[in-house]
Amino acid sequence: MTVFIVDDDADHLAALADLVEVGGHSVRAFERAQDAVEAAAATPPDAILTDLRMPGMDGMDLLAAIATQARDIPVIMLTGHGDVAQAVRAIQAGAEDFLEKPYDAAHLLSVLARALRARATRAEVARLQKELSLKSGAILGESPAITALNERLSALAPLDVDVILTGETGTGKELAARALHAASKRAQGPYVALNCAALPEALFELEVFGHAAAAFPGAQEKPGKLEAANGGSLVLDEVESMPLPLQGKLLRALQERQVERIGENHLRPLDIRILTTSKTDLRAACAEGRFRADLFYRLAGAEVALPPLRNLGPDIALIFAHYVSLAARRYGRDAPEITIGLRRDLMRRDWPGNVRELKSMAERFALGLGVGPAADLPKGETLPERMADYEAREITAALDRYGQSVERAAQALGVPRRTLADKMARYGIKG
Ligand SMILES: Nc1ncnc2c1ncn2[C@@H]1O[C@H](COP(=O)(O)OP(=O)(O)O)[C@@H](O)[C@H]1O
Ligand SMILES: [Mg+2]
C-alpha cells in the first residue's frame, strides 16, 4: 500500500514517514499539500495522512482537491490537540478519520489500517455492483439447453439475418431479442419493439407505417415504427396475434424494404433487421391458415426455440437465487436463505409463466413472504414421495417463518425438536 504523508514541518514529516514505513507501507512524503495533490492525480495513493494546519494550501484544501479527483482516496487528518471543532469539520468535509496530536504510534497505524480496509470494502462492493448490473440482461443458466441457446444467439447476432424466437410466455424471448441486438453490428442503432397483440387493428397501419400530415383531420406528420427502427432492429413481438390482413401489408413493406407513410405516395428505404417473437409454433399456424406462410418465410432467416423453465433443472434455483439477491439489495434487506428443501420444491414445479413467474416469486421471497404452495401436485410420483415432498415443504416454510429456529418451528409444527431435526437431516434442510 502506498501512503502519502503531508506535513509542512520537515522533522514531523520524517518521523511520521518512518513510522508508517515501519508499519509496512511504502511512503511518499510532501512538505507542500499542492505537490501531494499533483502527485495523487498522476499516481493515486491508497491513503493520505495530512497535517491540518499548513501555510498556503492546508489540510481542508487538500481534502477538497482530492475529492474532485473522485478516486476514493481516504484522507486522515492530523489535528491539534483538543481541536474537536476542526476534526468534526474535517469529517463532514469527507475525511475518513482524524488523529489528535501528539498521536500514539500504535493508534496511528490502526487508524490507517482501518481506513485502508474500509476503502478495500468499498472497492469490492462497487465491483460486485458492476458485475451484477452487467449480468442483468444476461441470459442466465448453466444447463446444456441454456448453454446451447447462448451459443446460438452469439453465432446469429453478428449475421444480419432476421430471426424468429419461439417459446412459451416468460421464457426470455424479449431478453434474447435484446441480446441479439446488443451483440450485432446494429447495437448503436435503435431497438424498436412493436407489440402485435396490444395494437388495435385500426391503429396498426398508422403506427407501423407512419402517416403524412394530411392522413386524417388534425394529423401531424409522423414516421412509423418501421422507419423508427432504421439502422437498427425492429422486434415484432407476439406476432402470432397479428390479424391476417395486416400480415399482408407488413409483408409488402418487408419484401421491398421500403415503406410508404399513410397519405403519402412515395417510398422511403428501410435498413432494418427484424426479430420476431412468437408464443406458438408459427409453422403449425401456417398449416392451419392462421399465419401467412410467405410472411413466415420472410421472417424466418433463422429460428431459435427457447426452452421452458421446467426443463432447466438446477438452473431454476440458480436464476431464482439471482433474482432474490437483486430484489433483496433493492429492498435493502438480507436475502433469506434458499434451503435445499426450497430448491427441490422449485425444481418440481410446472412454471407455466416460466422465468417471469419465477422472477416475481423471487421478489416476494426476498420480502420474506415465502414462495407459497405449488399450484399442482408434482406428477408421476408415488404417494410416499409426495408425502415426503409435502413434509419437506412444510418444514421449510415453518423454518422460514420462524427465522430458521428449529426450536420454534418444532413447536409450531407440534412435533418434538428431535423429530424435526431428524426429518431435516433426512430431507437435507438446513436450519
Ligand atoms: N435465462 C434467463 N435468465 C435471466 N432472466 C431471464 C431469463 N429468461 C427470462 N428472464 C427474465 O424473465 C422475464 C421474462 O422474460 P421475457 O424476455 O420478457 O419473456 P417472453 O418475452 O418470452 O415472455 C424478464 O424479466 C427476463 O429478464
Ligand atoms: Mg414477451
Side-chain angles (χ1 to χ4, degrees):
M1 297 282 175
T2 306
V3 180
F4 284 5
I5 300 178
V6 190
D7 199 324
D8 60 305
D9 181 325
D11 291 338
H12 278 163
L13 184 61
L16 205 50
D18 284 348
L19 173 60
V20 173
E21 234 159 26
V22 169
H25 306 287
S26 65
V27 166
R28 286 180 68 185
F30 301 90
E31 286 186 32
R32 283 164 22 100
Q34 187 60 50
D35 298 340
V37 170
E38 277 161 25
T43 28
D46 297 293
I48 299 178
L49 204 58
T50 179
D51 196 6
L52 174 64
R53 291 185 200 282
M54 291 180 288
M57 187 182 216
D58 69 3
M60 294 298 280
D61 300 333
L62 178 142
L63 189 59
I66 291 295
T68 62
Q69 295 180 1
R71 301 295 261 289
D72 190 21
I73 304 168
V75 174
I76 299 165
M77 201 72 82
L78 289 165
T79 64
H81 178 62
D83 203 351
V84 179
Q86 261 305 338
V88 169
R89 263 199 293 283
I91 296 289
Q92 280 169 344
E96 185 82 21
D97 213 333
F98 67 93
L99 278 162
E100 276 182 51
K101 289 200 256 189
Y103 47 82
D104 166 75
H107 180 56
L108 179 136
L109 290 177
S110 83
V111 166
L112 181 59
R114 191 167 63 212
L116 291 169
R117 264 200 314 276
R119 174 172 174 270
T121 307
R122 285 195 295 270
E124 176 66 3
V125 168
R127 190 186 65 76
L128 287 173
Q129 258 163 358
K130 182 148 171 262
E131 205 169 82
L132 271 178
S133 68
L134 284 180
K135 267 196 184 154
S136 84
I139 298 169
L140 301 177
E142 294 164 355
S143 59
I146 293 288
T147 308
L149 171 68
N150 273 319
E151 280 169 6
R152 180 131 166 82
L153 292 175
S154 313
L156 284 173
L159 311 177
D160 216 27
V161 292
D162 293 343
V163 180
I164 297 185
L165 300 151
T166 309
E168 294 175 16
T169 185
T171 47
K173 297 183 294 295
E174 280 171 80
L175 193 62
R178 281 197 180 274
L180 282 172
H181 175 74
S184 77
K185 288 173 241 153
R186 300 172 174 269
Q188 300 308 315
Y191 174 93
V192 177
L194 175 68
N195 189 322
C196 305
L199 218 50
E201 200 167 331
L203 279 182
F204 190 92
E205 282 181 82
L206 292 170
E207 273 290 312
V208 175
F209 302 121
H211 52 79
F216 54 90
Q220 305 254 318
E221 186 181 21
K222 191 178 167 230
K225 294 262 184 177
L226 287 169
E227 273 182 77
N230 239 332
S233 311
L234 176 72
V235 177
L236 297 177
D237 201 13
E238 309 196 27
V239 82
E240 73 277 8
S241 50
M242 185 184 284
L244 278 167
L246 295 179
Q247 291 179 22
K249 290 182 174 146
L250 183 65
L251 175 66
R252 203 165 334 116
L254 298 186
Q255 253 165 356
E256 288 153 20
R257 293 284 186 208
Q258 282 184 327
V259 65
E260 195 174 56
R261 293 185 189 172
I262 310 294
E264 270 186 2
N265 56 4
H266 69 273
L267 293 163
R268 297 164 186 263
L270 287 178
D271 168 28
I272 55 178
R273 180 190 199 181
I274 313 258
L275 306 173
T276 303
T277 82
S278 173
K279 284 200 287 283
T280 59
D281 178 5
L282 289 179
R283 285 173 189 276
C286 290
E288 291 161 18
R290 284 181 288 112
F291 202 83
R292 287 183 67 131
D294 46 6
L295 178 59
F296 171 78
Y297 287 111
R298 170 64 49 185
L299 299 173
E303 292 170 69
V304 176
L306 284 98
L309 183 63
R310 63 186 155 282
N311 292 354
L312 298 185
D315 276 355
I316 299 171
L318 181 148
I319 299 170
F320 182 76
H322 171 77
Y323 283 121
V324 168
S325 73
L326 275 191
R329 180 196 297 267
R330 202 168 58 243
Y331 301 135
R333 303 171 53 111
D334 285 339
E337 194 199 345
I338 300 167
T339 60
I340 293 178
L342 176 59
R343 290 169 58 96
R344 279 164 35 119
D345 175 354
L346 295 177
M347 274 154 54
R348 287 177 181 195
R349 294 187 183 215
D350 220 22
W351 299 113
N354 294 293
V355 185
R356 185 176 292 112
E357 185 185 358
L358 182 73
K359 194 173 166 182
S360 64
M361 187 177 284
E363 301 197 337
R364 290 198 302 274
F365 181 75
L367 283 173
L369 302 176
V371 297
D376 295 317
L377 279 176
K379 289 175 201 73
E381 289 182 358
T382 64
L383 184 60
E385 276 170 341
R386 289 185 191 184
M387 300 276 286
D389 207 58
Y390 178 76
E391 204 169 47
R393 257 205 311 265
E394 285 296 307
I395 292 172
T396 307
L399 285 166
D400 284 347
R401 200 151 46 238
Y402 294 102
Q404 311 303 320
S405 157
V406 179
E407 192 78 55
R408 289 165 63 196
Q411 233 167 40
L413 293 169
V415 294
R417 191 181 183 286
R418 270 290 299 275
T419 310
L420 180 58
D422 287 348
K423 286 182 189 296
M424 285 167 63
R426 180 159 0 116
Y427 299 132
I429 300 171
K430 280 184 287 179

